[in-house]
Amino acid sequence: MLFQPRLLHSFQGYNRALFIKDVFAGLTVGVVALPLAMAFAIASGLKPEAGIFTAIIAGGFISLLGGSRVQIGGPAGAFIVIVYGIVDRYGVANLLVATAMSGIFLFAMGLLRLGTLVRFIPVAVIIGFTNGIAFLIGLSQIKDFFGLDIPKMPAHFFGIIEALYAAAATVNPVALTLAIGSIGILILWGYCKSYLGWLSHLPGTVMAMILATVVTTILDLPVDTIGSRFGGIPSGLPHFAWIPINWDTAQFMIMPALTLAMLGSIESLLCARVADSLIHDRHEPNQELMAQGIANLVSPFFGGMPATGTIARTVTNVQSGGRTPLAGIVHAITLLLIILFAAPLAKNVPLASLAAILIFVAWNMGEWRKFFDLKQFRLAYRFTMLSVFALTIVVDLTVAVQIGLLLAFITFIYRISSLSRCELADLNEFPSLKEHGEKIGAYRIYGAIFFGAVQLLENIEKHLPKKILILDLKNVIYIDASGVDTMMELHHQCHAAGVRLMICGLAHQPRDVVERSGLSEILRGDCQYPNLKLGIEAATQAI
């Protein structure tokens, strides 16, 4: 079937023990998702409820319809930079339009079976933009971490640096102390989990947020909170509303929507692969993309932001015992119950603590060790990774990925072309070649004859023998259209010089291309042989 959610095949051998584990995992992930969802939304220039509604609506659809058994969906840190830029430039209404459009693109990608193509994105590009996004997330949180007086943060790197520098004298010592304390709790919680007993089941992010909120409330600290900046979060259900569309600006949402779809597909499928390694399973990438598409199409109608698979929450789900999509559905229900019954408590959550949580998430999100181990990689790999990293920070993600893919493409062509080579046949292996001197020329070609390696045949044109030219293609694994055109040109040069061209040892793909191009018909039937030995014997008899 084309559309087949993994939920339909996840309950074979299901029992009460697995059900309890799924419910417990869903409750745990729901609690973990609460501070992250609010933090991601605030960092993206949105109200905190946008993140919570996204985790409920999109997270529920991703678990219900997805192609992974354990993936948890919702707002992700990777989207912060892009979403903030869209909101800053086009407004929240157009962000909703771009999110819905990205959902259509994602569904189309899954429908067209393009899920496996994401695996072809080079690791250097993925590490470069992941670290770049992590850096920007951390940079964007410095304002609330230090309690700086900046009315509105710019969306671009140099603007952020300028705004932070201008407001450096407005540091709020209380906010800074609260943020440092939150970071300290997160670090200590990770190191001391084995000594905490039942408390170890509570995530450090939740404990940091609760403790910071309690301290802020009891001491009435002079710091920005969710209540002071946003008026708290609503305690009702997310309601459906048609997306307001301005057709004059909607046309400009195509590229942002494509960026969201591309990043969402990469994040979700990478996350699903991580989940596979944890539970020793295989997800269905195209079904996952279609589920992500539906989630992102529906979420904006309830005030949500872009959503994708989230590695931190997915790993938490697996470590808590989740093994079926039921855990993800329970996670969405848990968040729904929290906003219904505990929303008023969120008004005292200090933004400095949420900023500390985001900086902690950004640090763990980046693969910084790859930067410290650059010496072990080739120069081209290093250059690609660092270029994508720098462009993600200074320009934007779309340009960074485009340049990164271009660099990776050029590097790949260079490496493949360097593996292709052409050698004269060994005279000791074929003594008859010695007897005919310059009348017969025999060459063995290795690798691929494609647009990056056609110079191999072009070099042969400069040294044609007097009577017969033999090409042994036994070790050629691939020929493209440019390679065939070059072979046709070589045949033309041979014909003009009165030299007979013979081809030996065509494998399956090269033979198919040669036949479809018409080159097989141009060459006489007695000019094609299964191996070089038979070709040389026929050539010596023909002279």
Side-chain angles (χ1 to χ4, degrees):
M1 293 178 61
L2 185 62
F3 189 86
Q4 199 167 30
R6 195 61 187 273
L7 179 69
L8 301 177
H9 305 282
S10 297
F11 296 108
Q12 296 179 359
Y14 202 65
N15 53 42
R16 183 172 177 272
L18 291 175
F19 172 77
I20 293 174
K21 286 184 177 180
D22 279 339
V23 172
F24 179 79
L27 291 171
T28 303
V29 178
V31 174
V32 171
L34 179 64
L36 295 178
M38 291 192 296
F40 291 152
I42 293 170
S44 301
L46 304 171
K47 293 182 178 181
E49 60 263 29
I52 300 176
F53 290 166
T54 302
I56 295 172
I57 304 297
F61 273 107
I62 289 170
S63 294
L64 190 66
L65 305 175
S68 171
R69 290 170 54 192
V70 296
Q71 175 143 274
I72 302 297
F79 284 130
I80 289 176
V81 178
I82 301 172
V83 172
Y84 190 89
I86 295 174
V87 172
D88 180 70
R89 185 173 181 180
Y90 300 105
V92 175
N94 284 306
L95 169 66
L96 300 179
V97 174
T99 303
M101 291 173 65
S102 73
I104 296 173
F105 291 142
L106 281 166
F107 188 86
M109 289 169 63
L111 197 64
L112 296 174
R113 323 301 291 174
L114 300 180
T116 54
L117 294 182
V118 175
R119 298 181 180 180
F120 293 103
I121 297 178
V123 174
V125 176
I126 293 175
I127 293 175
F129 79 68
T130 300
N131 286 9
I133 290 171
F135 179 87
L136 285 175
I137 291 173
L139 184 66
S140 68
Q141 295 309 300
I142 291 178
K143 168 184 176 290
D144 287 327
F145 191 93
F146 287 87
L148 299 178
D149 184 15
I150 303 176
K152 182 176 177 57
M153 283 289 286
H156 300 290
F157 174 72
F158 294 109
I160 294 173
I161 297 297
E162 183 180 359
L164 292 176
Y165 180 79
T170 64
V171 174
N172 183 338
V174 178
L176 178 59
T177 303
L178 203 60
I180 294 174
S182 298
I183 288 284
I185 292 171
L186 290 169
I187 296 173
L188 288 175
W189 199 264
Y191 279 112
C192 301
K193 263 195 170 184
S194 57
Y195 305 102
L196 296 174
W198 65 271
L199 285 174
S200 62
H201 296 294
L202 293 175
T205 53
V206 174
M207 289 306 302
M209 183 186 72
I210 291 175
L211 291 175
T213 303
V214 170
V215 171
T216 301
T217 304
I218 293 176
L219 301 180
D220 192 22
L221 298 179
V223 295
D224 284 342
T225 64
I226 288 179
S228 65
R229 186 175 296 181
F230 302 102
I233 60 175
S235 57
L237 295 172
H239 63 278
F240 179 89
W242 289 107
I243 299 175
I245 299 177
N246 183 343
W247 296 108
D248 292 333
T249 57
Q251 59 183 318
F252 299 111
M253 292 298 103
I254 294 177
M255 283 308 298
L258 284 172
T259 302
L260 291 172
M262 180 190 69
L263 182 57
S265 64
I266 294 172
E267 282 286 311
S268 63
L269 296 184
L270 284 178
C271 177
R273 289 176 65 181
V274 171
D276 288 348
S277 66
L278 294 175
I279 64 173
H280 307 291
D281 191 35
R282 288 289 179 270
H283 71 283
E284 171 49 51
N286 297 306
Q287 179 63 39
E288 186 63 31
L289 288 184
M290 287 190 283
Q292 299 281 342
I294 293 173
N296 280 279
L297 178 60
V298 174
S299 177
F301 289 94
F302 293 88
M305 59 188 291
T308 186
T310 56
I311 293 179
R313 276 158 276 175
T314 298
V315 172
T316 301
N317 179 37
V318 174
Q319 291 176 343
S320 301
R323 288 299 180 271
T324 73
L326 179 63
I329 297 172
V330 172
H331 135 267
I333 295 173
T334 301
L335 285 170
L336 182 62
L337 294 175
I338 289 174
I339 66 165
L340 285 176
F341 300 105
L345 300 178
K347 67 179 182 179
N348 290 328
V349 175
L351 298 182
S353 179
L354 292 181
I357 290 172
L358 271 186
I359 290 175
F360 186 77
V361 169
W363 174 258
N364 290 303
M365 171 183 169
E367 296 189 51
W368 309 108
R369 288 185 180 180
K370 299 292 185 181
F371 283 177
F372 298 125
D373 297 334
L374 281 177
K375 291 183 179 179
Q376 67 176 311
F377 302 118
R378 293 177 178 270
L379 179 61
Y381 185 97
R382 282 181 272 171
F383 184 72
T384 300
M385 184 193 301
L386 294 176
S387 296
V388 174
F389 175 73
L391 289 170
T392 300
I393 294 172
V394 177
V395 187
D396 64 54
L397 178 67
T398 306
V399 174
V401 172
Q402 289 173 349
I403 297 298
L405 290 176
L406 177 61
L407 292 173
F409 177 67
I410 294 173
T411 302
F412 176 77
I413 293 174
Y414 173 77
R415 289 181 179 174
I416 294 299
S417 62
S418 65
L419 293 175
S420 301
R421 67 183 193 276
C422 178
E423 299 176 353
L424 280 168
D426 189 354
L427 297 180
N428 295 323
E429 185 179 352
F430 303 103
S432 57
L433 291 177
K434 297 180 181 180
E435 302 174 7
H436 297 283
E438 298 180 353
K439 293 181 180 179
I440 301 177
Y443 294 87
R444 277 179 166 156
I445 300 178
Y446 299 82
I449 304 176
F450 70 114
F451 63 89
V454 294
Q455 72 275 7
L456 297 177
L457 299 181
E458 293 173 350
N459 291 335
I460 294 176
E461 293 177 8
K462 303 174 183 178
H463 306 91
L464 293 177
K466 293 182 178 179
K467 293 292 185 181
I468 299 175
L469 172 63
I470 307 174
L471 298 181
D472 179 18
L473 306 181
K474 176 184 176 182
N475 297 298
V476 173
I477 59 174
Y478 176 76
I479 299 178
D480 72 349
S482 298
V484 170
D485 286 343
T486 307
M487 291 179 67
M488 298 278 275
E489 179 62 24
L490 178 61
H491 173 265
H492 176 75
Q493 296 291 341
C494 289
H495 182 74
V499 177
R500 180 180 173 186
L501 175 63
M502 300 172 63
I503 296 178
C504 306
L506 283 173
H508 176 72
Q509 192 275 341
R511 177 180 296 279
D512 180 60
V513 173
V514 167
E515 290 177 351
R516 287 190 288 110
S517 67
L519 179 60
S520 183
E521 297 178 3
I522 295 175
L523 296 173
R524 297 197 304 270
D526 58 350
C527 290
Q528 301 179 56
Y529 296 89
N531 56 62
L532 182 58
K533 182 179 179 181
L534 293 177
I536 291 176
E537 290 177 356
T540 54
Q541 293 174 6
I543 293 179

